[in-house]
Amino acid sequence: MISLETARELMERSRTRATWLSRQTFWLLLLGIVLGGLLASPGWLSGSRFVQVLLPQFVLICIILWVYSRTQRQRRIAAMVSAAWGAIQLKDWTQAEAVITKLLRRPIQPVFVRAQSLMALAAVAENQKQYDVSQHILETVLQEPNADASVLYAARVALAGTLLRNSQLTDAVSMIDKLVRMELPPALRAQVELLNLFRLVLMGQTQEAVAGAEERRALFRRHLSTRAGYGYALLSAAFDRSGQTDRAAELWRDATLLIRPAEIVDRFGEVRSVAAKYPSTEWPL
Amino acid sequence: MSEQEVASLLRLFRWRMRFADAVRWLMVAALLAAFVLAGPMGAAALPNLAMLILSAVLVAGLVLVIGSVRAARAAHEGAILLSVGRREEAQETLVNVIKRLSVFRSTLLVACQQLGTLLRAQGNQTAARDVFRAVLKYSGGRFGGVPSFHTTARLMLADAELALGNLAGAYEAFQPVYGATLSVQDRLLLLPIELRYLLAAGHTAEAVANLRDKVRYAELMDAPRAAWVHMLLAEACRREGLERQAEFLCRRAALYHDVTELPASPTAGGPGSIEGVME
């Protein structure tokens, strides 16, 4: 379980100090100066012929090893980020938590890779229903000035969802309204619409949710792939509350054709009554 | 692009890759020579000669890297143009990258792989296959190989071979990938290719093995590809007499995407079968 303290510690540990000369750069610079000095004047450090022959080679090997270890570390980081997101996609949350907490124990560069890693940590925390932890992480990502634009958009969408879960409705509504008004790529627009629908269902604004149902359904189908099932489930809840039970039953059937009912209810507890009321699709797999 | 144009471009690509290799080894050799000459090993003039070699190598390296960075940016731009469907501009950009001098092997490989993807999308399967073969050849190897490219290139080559109806060629291309540890992204690439091959070769029992896992991976794809894989799995289930599963998978496929837009033949490339892989 990721607590707030753990998250804070991981965020602190993974941060790279923004100094003009890092410790590693200092050592590399020093080795470079020594190498240059040895090449320009072999007798600079020692009068021994043996040392004069071997020292430049030794310094060069040190530089090569340093560059090699840095490259290997970057590769390891990239592989771990990929593994963490792979585990998240496959909903292997234990593995995702293990990889991401290990990864964030050391400074991560470049900034966008750290932002991606923090997003993965936020996803794990959200799955554990640690919404305050997730909120704190996402707010940190949004404060990162050099993060990738796509990561920042994703962080905003995720934060708005987390605020809703944390019952910070005013902030959540204001954030969702801003996102709805923004010019976004269709895939992100579909995610924002899903979030907006969740807000409407959560706040009991069922008429508004039902009004744009067909457009929303088409948008979810086109861009959310399997996650469109969550959208159908929320639409089903909206139709159920507005008394259109046939439509609600049909949407619930579609929702549970894509995602198993238990998984939908686990993510959106608001549809629990719908799950109990309407028959779900049977999975013969 | 005509096949002659592709062939001539591939000749240039091979030359560029050899050039990038030669530059790399030349720099290593020059650096080693500089260090052998340095120090009190010979005449007094030798350290100066070493400094001269080192400086020349560094300056030449810097000039080449600056040019290569520009080429890398252009290759990235070409990939973006292709992913947003601006094919003509993408083709022009990618061809220019291959024609440019670059010492970054990965830049040339990206450009060539994207060009193959473009040719595949344009229906020029033979040329696409030739391009993927070239990428596969140069992305492997113990020294200077790019493993992530190598796996993707294998899968893309298998995809092109399947589109040409060459089952043996497709199997040969993707078979080594089976033994490798694949990322989720590569698994998502492999699954439709593997299913198309198994269906075309009549190995339907193998196609329905681990059905639940295969469906789990299909769920991670974008809607058209998820629908396509569901249809392939449904077809395999039907051939194996698993009617309930086939019906369930067909219903899911229809919910993901309009199934009338999907190809009828299993060997044909599905929606976005290889496009958008490299973004």
Side-chain angles (χ1 to χ4, degrees), chain A residues 15 111-112 114-115 139-148 152:
Chain A
R15 181 172 292 132
V111 170
F112 73 87
R114 181 172 175 265
E139 282 167 350
T140 308
V141 172
L142 285 171
Q143 282 162 11
E144 184 52 71
N146 297 321
D148 204 43
L152 291 176

Side-chain angles (χ1 to χ4, degrees), chain A residues 94-154:
Chain A
T94 315
Q95 171 72 2
E97 184 182 346
V99 174
I100 205 68
T101 48
K102 188 178 172 194
L103 174 66
L104 287 165
R105 276 190 201 125
R106 287 185 65 188
I108 299 177
Q109 266 187 325
V111 170
F112 73 87
V113 176
R114 181 172 175 265
Q116 280 178 345
S117 312
L118 290 179
M119 289 294 287
L121 184 69
V124 173
E126 192 187 330
N127 177 261
Q128 294 172 350
K129 314 242 183 296
Q130 303 277 3
Y131 298 121
D132 51 339
V133 178
S134 175
Q135 182 180 336
H136 184 69
I137 299 165
L138 292 166
E139 282 167 350
T140 308
V141 172
L142 285 171
Q143 282 162 11
E144 184 52 71
N146 297 321
D148 204 43
S150 60
V151 171
L152 291 176
Y153 275 131

Side-chain angles (χ1 to χ4, degrees), chain B residues 140-171:
Chain B
R142 193 186 250 289
F143 300 104
V146 188
S148 57
F149 268 108
H150 200 60
T151 306
T152 314
R154 276 200 174 284
L155 296 174
M156 289 178 159
L157 176 60
D159 187 70
E161 293 282 19
L162 272 177
L164 286 166
N166 181 7
L167 293 185
Y171 181 75

Side-chain angles (χ1 to χ4, degrees), chain B residues 17-48:
Chain B
M17 290 300 282
R18 281 198 287 266
F19 174 77
D21 277 344
V23 166
R24 196 165 47 167
W25 287 115
L26 199 68
M27 287 184 91
V28 171
L31 283 172
L32 285 176
F35 282 96
V36 169
L37 291 173
M41 289 182 75
L46 285 182
N48 294 338

